[in-house]
Amino acid sequence: MATVGEELVRNLAARGVEAVFGIPGVHTIELYRGLPASGIRHVTPRHEQGAGFMADGYARRTGRPGVALVITGPGLTNILTPMGQARAEGVPMLVLSSTLARRDLGRWRGTLHELPDQRATVASVAVDSQTLLDPAGLGEAIERAWAMALGAGGRAGPAHLEVPLDVLALPAPELAAPRSPLPPPAPDAATLDEAARRLEAAERPAILAGGGARRAEAALRALAEALDAPVVQTTNARGLMAGHPLAVAASPSLGPVRALLAEADAVLAVGCEFGATDLDMYEDGGFPPLRGLIRVDRDAARIARGPEALALVADAGVALAALGAALGPRRREGTGAERAARAGDGARAALEPAHARALTVLETIRDTLPQSPIFGDSTEPVYAGNLVFAAGGPGLWCNSATGFGTLGWALPAAAGAAVADPSRPVVALAGDGGLQFTLAELGVLADERLPVIVVVWNNHGYREIETAMRGAGAEPVGVTPGAPDFVAVAAAYGLRAERVEDPAALPGRLRAAAEAGGPALLEIPAAAIHGSRG
């Protein structure tokens, strides 16, 4: 008979899990015992934070929960930051951890890796956290954790299941096949009809698309065309309707985009959190009230926290398709494309010169590697892209500079994305400061020969924080940490690596790195883009 740890791993394989991320320890031996026979690929990061960020990147590429295995105590606390990032972004993740043997739980008597209450520690960042005390409850526990990670509680996010050391080694009942996933929630029929009526009656409708619409592009495009409605994209929606004349790939924090939304007489907000980092990046309080607001979101609680609106509690794809069917196949001829172009062109013209110059790096990456996802950290080109950037397709622009806003995300998240889909290069774009948070994960790229191109934007410190300090009249302190020779460090791991001093050489260097197929690092001195003006 299999142990609880072995049966848990078998169940992951039955759910289609192809890879897990973790650092083995004496407290997870029983989880690892079943891995060799499961067919599941194990990827070893250099830190549990890396494991969590890799699971995040994997989930963004697949739409399925990324799975991380961590030990009791420090392994669990090390992954809290990635869990916080995943919760802020609605990314499905499953964290499996050990915990102390049942006889030691809550005793606080110096046991190895002890926390006063481990489940309570993780509960503040998890969408759900459970402790399995009896092998008989294993099937129910894993079903619940998987469903909660996928959004059964309203919104997807990190779910946690911990198993005491003694329970992991006990015989386990053979689990039934995983249940079929719950169907995505559909909108209430009467509310749907009212929403369709309002949109059809509007003279100047607009759509505000958030990250919840990422996997509903076809239905979104069809509805936008039927309404002749510009589609404003928050950061997590970038790449939807790429190249379409109705797409507005610019931030609602910018004046011209806000003007478009303020002029609309009906606004359909789909999968949009209405968070400050999307709508009020500069915290100026200038985001306008929206007339005729209709919200589509699968999380009723999130709708309740936002502005007053006609609410469709439903999956974005289901609701958009239903609205499109209610409106019929006709296409309204109007000024939608003109309004979209005016907002997009105005947003680009409103960029500060430094952001406009940094944006050229992003556009060079996109134009050179049009199908490559870009995973960004909090750094100048990413801030510029979050203001204005037309990604090449859905899911090809992801970063950690909004919401929870952690540093060190880009490199390991890109690694996780490459594990999920190694058929194309993945670009990790990070600053010299942020990259040092997880620099050791270059070793994972080398171990796994992942097609990740790390682009380092080197402006010699925390330039954004330095600028903010000066703007507040404070003398900058602590904003110029030293950095290693990134090219030498990458080469020491066996990666292809070089410094790109001439911006005109960047496309050729990117193509060469992509054609080589393995991991690479390209360092771009910010001064090479900004010149003396930087």
Side-chain angles (χ1 to χ4, degrees), residues 256-290:
V257 182
R258 288 176 169 181
L260 181 152
L261 294 170
E263 292 165 1
D265 55 354
V267 176
L268 174 65
V270 186
C272 179
E273 189 175 25
F274 278 76
T277 53
D278 274 328
L279 308 184
D280 195 13
M281 190 180 299
Y282 295 113
E283 299 182 349
D284 60 13
F287 186 76
L290 303 180

Side-chain angles (χ1 to χ4, degrees), residues 193-212:
D193 289 344
E194 175 61 16
R197 186 193 67 76
R198 292 187 188 184
L199 291 170
E200 196 166 34
E203 293 295 326
R204 295 180 306 280
I207 297 173
L208 177 59

